[in-house]
Amino acid sequence: MKAILFRKEAESDLRSIIAYYDEVAPETTSNILADIYRSIDQLAHYPLSGMQVPDRAFRRIVTIKFHFKIAYAVKEQQVVILGIFRYQDREI
C-alpha cells in the first residue's frame, strides 16, 4: 500500500468542494467526501487503477457516485493527489 500525499492545490480543491456543498446542499457533503475518499483509498491499494492521461505524467480516476475527477501521480513510495475537480469543471 502506498502513502497518499496531497499537493496544496488538491487540499484547496477539497476545501472548495466542502465549502460549496456545505452552502448549497449540506446534507450531501459527507456523502461526497466519502465518495472522494473511497477512490483515494483505492489508489493507495491500486495506484495504477486510474487512466493514464495521454501525453502527461499523471493519471486520473473518476469517483463512482458523484463523478469527481482526481488527478494524481504515482511515485515510488506514494501517490500524490494533484487536484480534485467536478467532472464537468476542467478538462484533464
Side-chain angles (χ1 to χ4, degrees):
M1 183 169 94
K2 292 190 182 277
I4 299 293
L5 175 72
F6 284 79
R7 283 186 47 189
K8 290 179 185 175
E9 294 84 355
E11 290 175 349
S12 176
D13 290 339
L14 195 53
R15 283 192 301 275
S16 294
I17 291 165
I18 292 167
Y20 175 77
Y21 284 98
D22 275 349
E23 174 105 7
V24 299
E27 67 280 359
T28 64
T29 304
S30 63
N31 291 332
I32 289 168
L33 289 175
D35 186 45
I36 290 170
Y37 280 110
R38 187 176 315 118
S39 292
I40 291 171
D41 185 58
Q42 174 185 329
L43 296 176
H45 290 89
Y46 305 101
L48 300 179
S49 62
M51 180 178 147
Q52 179 69 46
V53 177
D55 302 320
R56 304 306 274 287
F58 61 88
R59 306 174 81 79
R60 71 175 164 92
I61 192 169
V62 178
T63 67
I64 299 293
K65 188 170 182 179
F66 293 98
H67 306 288
F68 282 87
K69 284 184 183 179
I70 301 172
Y72 69 98
V74 179
K75 305 294 183 186
E76 190 171 316
Q77 298 294 321
Q78 60 196 5
V79 172
V80 181
I81 306 298
L82 306 173
I84 304 169
F85 325 104
R86 284 186 340 144
Y87 188 74
Q88 61 272 36
D89 280 352
R90 298 186 215 170
E91 194 58 39
I92 63 166

